[in-house]
Structure formats: C-alpha cells, structure tokens
Amino acid sequence: MKIFEAAALLRKKSLSPSELIAEVYGKIKEQDGEIKAYISLCNDLKVPDGAADESMLWGIPVAVKDNICTKGIPTTAGSRMLENFVPDYDATVVERLKKSGAVIMGKTNMDEFGMGSDSLCSAFCVTANPVNTLYVPGGSSGGSAAAVRAGMALASLGTDTGGSIRQPAAFCGIYALKPTYSLVSRYGLIAFASSLDCIGPMANCTKDLAIMTDAIAGGDVKDATCSTREKESYYNNIKPEVKNLKIGLPIEFFENADECVRDAVYAMAQRMEGMGARVCECSCKTVKYATGAYYVISSAEASSNLARYDGVRFGYKSKEYDSFRDMCTKSRSEAFGDEVKKRILFGTYVLSAENYSSYYMKAKNAQRMIREELEALLREYDVLLTPVSPSVVPRRDAVKEVGKVCEKDRCTAAVSLAGLPALSIPCSTDENGMPIGAQLIGGRFCEKTLLDVALACEEGGLCNV
Ligand code: GLN
C-alpha cells in the first residue's frame, strides 16, 4: 500500500493505525524469515499521539536503516563493532519522522558501515531480493529496499554515499531519492564518508517520496553542513510534468552497460519524448574518473571516521590483551569485517604523506572536474537520464568479489561526488524478470523538478514493471 492512499483511509477512519501496524507486522512475521530485511524489530509499536489530519505520515509504518541512530533501539551499522550499541538519542531524521507520527517498525540490514553493493557484507545476515530470493537486493541499503518491496514497511530511510539508496531501489523495483548533499541533516548518522553521505527516502511511488522528503528535509543546528535554505513543500506542490523539459542522455553513462539496461533507459527516453519532452544525447567525459575518485575519497574519509572505534570509547572491546596498543589492534581486528579493513588500509595509504598528492589530491581534482561538467550540463538540461546501474541484478551465488567498489558504481558515484540530487525509478525488467532502474539527475536543490518528472513517468505508465 502507498502512504498517500493509507493516509486517506486513516483520515476517513476506514482504517485504524493499529490495524495498519498489525497488517505490516504480519507481513514481517510471514516473510522476514526468508528475506531478512530487518536486523532488529521495535518492541513497543504504539499508535502515535495526534491525529491523521495533522500529518500524512501519522500512523504509517516505516523502516530505518541500521546506521541511523534510534534512541533505545540497537544501531549496529551492520557491524560486530557496534553489535551492542544502543544510542541514547535519535538522529534528527528519526526525531522528525516520529514527530510526524510515523511508526518505526525496525532497523534494516545493510553492508557493514555502508561499504558494499549487494548486502552480502553485513555481519549479521544476508538479505534476499523479494522479487526473486535467488538474487541480491542491492546495497548497501538492501534491507530498506527489500522491506518496502515486500510490504514490510510502507517506506524506509536509506543512506547513500556512492549509490546505496538508488541501486538497491533499482534492484528491488521501487522508488528512491538521494537528496542534494546538505538538504537532510546527518546528525545521528553513523559516518562512512562525511562529505558524501546523504540520508534519503525509499518508497512505492513518487508521491510517497515527496511525503517522506517533506518530513526529513530542512536545516538543523546539530549538523553544521546542513543547508539553512528555506524549506520547500514537495508533496503539496508535486505535479506530473515532463512536457517541454529538456532531458539529456549523457552517452558515457551508457558505455559498457548491459544491452537490456541501455535499451530500457533509451525506450523510457523515447516515451518521455512522446509526452512532449525534448530529449537529446549529450556528453559527460569525466564520468570515467568517477569510480576511482569515489573509491579514494570515500576510503580516505572512512579511514579517519572509523578511527574512533578503538575499543575504548565506542563499541566492541577484545576480551584478552596485554597493552593498550594490543587492545586497540585486537578490538579492531576482531570486530571489523574484511571489506571495512580493506578500505581503512587503502584510505590510510592514500592519505599518507608520501602518497597524498598522487592519490588524494588527484581524486579531489577529478571530483571538481566531474562536478563542474555535470553542473554545466544541468544548466543546459533540466534533467539528465541515465541507468542507475549499468548491469542487471546479479544472482546471490554469482557475486564473486563481495563488497568491492567497481565500474558498476560509476553512474551513481559521479552524482554523489557532485553532491547533486538523483531519483531512482523502475523502468523495465530483464529476461529473468528482475527490475531495471533509471536515474534522473537534477541541479542542486532541484528535487521538485525530479519529483515532477518521476511522477509524469509513473502516471504515464513508464514505470509499470
Ligand atoms: N557501493 C558503494 C560502496 O561500496 C556505495 C556505497 C554507499 O553508497 N554507501 O562504497
């Protein structure tokens, strides 16, 4: 069920919040043994105070990724390091969801600290794709995508550093928005790469993304990087609109894409043209640097952010050690997974005095070039249309290199490096019936344009997969 439909029923009182919560809870009990979207479930699922006509989210069951702090509820970031961490405060986004009357059902599975693309790097469980459980749900917000797809939440929060909201949404055939960097507060988000990390909504339709964005966006004194610009109202102003908009297809985003992915996104472009959009191919040459630059910058920041897990102040502490140094080494060796260790080593290497200018500085330069080129394109085009992932959804048993950042991340990582907003919408299916997603990229703070175009596609039947 969609949020805006459920909200209408709640207002008319033809559905009560406790019935809705019980229904969704039933779906979890029925399916989550197999799907494993949740790491933990909330115990006291209460009907919130207030009333349905005060907020579109009142009484709506939602899920939250397990790297977003929830007061009194374990928050693990998918890591043994934080297995027993119970925050004594809510992240700003959680506080805002609660204030809107949303009901948090539980915390969703993820690749450890957000590092991975398949949800195979969690320390706790492996999530399956509800469309077909032999396939991965994508990652790192795989649990958040799977929960929505399987009806185990009406919407969820994911986090995206280089594609982790958009790619799992594409793999599970749902809708998701990575907002402009700084639109949503990161207070209470367990950091991976602070200059790229964004929290955003995942849902069953475009209107629900607008409702969720309304609830979580806006300035926050607790996050100095959070924008103080005036808050927009997305849901009240959303309208299907693609006519006369200029849509660019940057051809380099399609290079080495699977043929069916390329065909599906081009077919969508053609249908947008049929609806009155002006569609042209364009070029974004710097996207070839996106994967490399993303890997260097995100790992560099991760190596610094994850230095706080030393066995003293946060998280896991080894049982046996003979010195302070030994305790730090053992705690980190025992509690971090392989992918996290690899990135800490790599990030420390690229930041070291002798390598800084050959890697980190170069990556920052590449980032600037990518940002400038995408921003220039977005002065010419209203929206850019690309694949989310150049490849189709892999089977779980076919993923060889678990967690590794690779060329498959380039379409989403380029947008993250530029700090721009991007929306993932279902676009078609491959020969195995697995979803293929399209990415709409907009100018800085142009979330409204993205939502309008996505709604036009959805209502025009372009997303019926
Ligand atoms: N797959 C990418 C990585 O492993 C992106 C992850 C993310 O956005 N959190 O780094």
Side-chain angles (χ1 to χ4, degrees):
M1 194 188 277
K2 294 172 180 163
I3 297 178
F4 76 94
E5 292 169 350
L9 296 178
L10 290 169
R11 269 172 208 204
K12 279 196 298 195
K13 297 206 163 50
S14 46
L15 177 72
S16 76
S18 43
E19 278 167 351
L20 182 59
I21 296 166
E23 164 89 26
V24 171
Y25 192 73
K27 289 232 154 100
I28 297 174
K29 286 283 144 223
E30 201 179 290
Q31 303 172 85
D32 210 38
E34 188 183 5
I35 308 281
K36 299 194 170 66
Y38 285 96
I39 292 182
S40 56
L41 289 175
C42 297
N43 299 325
D44 57 340
L45 297 169
K46 283 198 298 278
V47 176
D49 298 334
D53 45 8
E54 283 166 24
S55 154
M56 292 295 285
L57 281 177
W58 186 78
I60 301 293
V62 299
V64 173
K65 189 174 175 179
D66 210 21
N67 57 351
I68 302 175
C69 287
T70 37
K71 188 175 175 175
I73 303 163
T75 299
T76 68
S79 182
R80 286 268 167 249
M81 185 56 91
L82 291 175
E83 191 169 7
N84 299 314
F85 174 53
V86 182
D88 57 8
Y89 68 102
D90 278 326
T92 296
V93 287
V94 170
E95 201 180 277
R96 289 183 181 169
L97 281 180
K98 284 184 177 169
K99 223 163 136 193
S100 310
V103 180
I104 294 169
M105 302 299 288
K107 307 294 296 291
T108 56
N109 194 27
M110 57 180 286
D111 289 301
E112 187 172 1
F113 288 101
M115 300 171 188
S117 308
D118 306 296
S119 298
L120 296 170
C121 285
S122 163
F124 304 108
C125 55
V126 170
T127 303
N129 191 320
V131 178
N132 180 335
T133 51
L134 293 175
Y135 289 78
V136 303
S140 63
S141 312
S144 290
V148 171
R149 176 67 206 220
M152 299 190 285
L154 270 61
S156 59
L157 290 182
T159 65
D160 191 309
T161 307
S164 281
I165 285 178
R166 291 160 283 166
Q167 184 257 27
F171 282 10
C172 292
I174 62 165
Y175 296 73
L177 173 68
K178 180 205 97 72
T180 305
Y181 181 79
S182 84
L183 182 75
V184 176
S185 166
R186 288 183 296 113
Y187 178 75
L189 165 64
I190 295 175
F192 165 7
S194 318
S195 77
L196 304 169
D197 292 343
C198 293
I199 301 176
M202 310 175 79
N204 285 309
C205 67
T206 314
K207 284 185 181 170
D208 289 1
L209 292 182
I211 293 170
M212 289 287 284
T213 311
D214 277 334
I216 61 173
D220 178 16
V221 288
K222 293 178 185 149
D223 173 4
T225 61
C226 193
S227 166
T228 50
R229 67 200 299 279
E230 203 183 321
K231 207 167 171 280
E232 287 185 54
S233 179
Y234 299 104
Y235 181 68
N236 286 334
N237 297 316
I238 195 169
K239 53 177 187 307
E241 193 162 67
V242 66
K243 203 166 167 215
N244 294 328
L245 289 188
K246 241 181 126 183
I247 314 266
L249 296 172
I251 49 174
E252 291 81 359
F253 278 74
F254 293 82
E255 268 167 20
N256 305 318
D258 288 346
E259 208 174 297
C260 64
V261 173
R262 195 193 148 83
D263 290 351
V265 180
Y266 266 80
M268 178 171 249
Q270 212 169 25
R271 292 184 66 189
M272 286 161 105
E273 206 165 18
M275 292 163 73
R278 288 181 293 153
V279 179
C280 305
E281 282 187 336
C282 56
S283 169
C284 179
K285 296 210 163 47
T286 53
V287 71
K288 60 172 176 282
Y289 305 128
T291 312
Y294 166 76
Y295 196 35
V296 170
I297 293 169
S298 63
S299 302
E301 293 186 26
S303 72
S304 161
N305 274 326
L306 271 57
R308 77 191 70 182
Y309 305 105
D310 54 7
V312 180
R313 288 163 298 177
F314 279 103
Y316 176 87
K317 185 197 220 100
S318 180
K319 304 278 166 299
E320 282 169 47
Y321 46 85
D322 13 275
S323 64
F324 171 72
R325 201 188 161 87
D326 191 42
M327 182 200 68
C328 288
T329 309
K330 283 204 177 122
S331 302
R332 288 168 72 80
S333 305
E334 287 162 21
F336 283 140
D338 288 348
E339 184 58 28
V340 173
K341 284 179 189 157
K342 211 162 66 189
R343 296 203 197 194
I344 293 173
L345 287 173
F346 181 64
T348 309
Y349 179 80
V350 298
L351 287 178
S352 61
E354 54 288 19
N355 297 305
Y356 186 79
S357 57
S358 3
Y359 296 101
Y360 186 72
M361 289 297 280
K362 273 198 187 146
K364 289 303 276 184
N365 276 333
Q367 176 180 32
R368 184 181 37 79
M369 283 158 60
I370 294 167
R371 188 195 315 121
E372 283 171 3
E373 196 174 22
L374 281 173
E375 282 181 346
L377 280 173
L378 284 157
R379 282 193 285 277
E380 204 179 321
Y381 297 92
D382 295 292
V383 167
L384 302 175
L385 175 66
T386 77
V388 173
S389 168
S391 325
V392 294
V393 188
R395 278 174 66 113
R396 286 204 267 170
D397 55 10
V399 177
K400 296 208 176 63
E401 287 178 292
V402 171
K404 192 171 169 256
V405 172
C406 58
E407 277 307 306
K408 283 189 204 166
D409 290 319
R410 73 171 185 279
C411 297
T412 48
V415 182
S416 298
L417 289 167
L420 297 171
L423 213 148
S424 175
I425 51 176
C427 147
S428 185
T429 48
D430 66 12
E431 56 180 18
N432 301 311
M434 296 310 289
I436 295 174
Q439 172 172 244
L440 300 166
I441 309 168
R444 200 167 295 276
F445 298 114
C446 293
E447 278 77 6
K448 174 171 164 39
T449 311
L450 293 180
L451 290 163
D452 288 350
V453 173
L455 186 63
C457 292
E458 186 187 339
E459 292 188 348
L462 275 57
C463 306
N464 289 339
V465 297

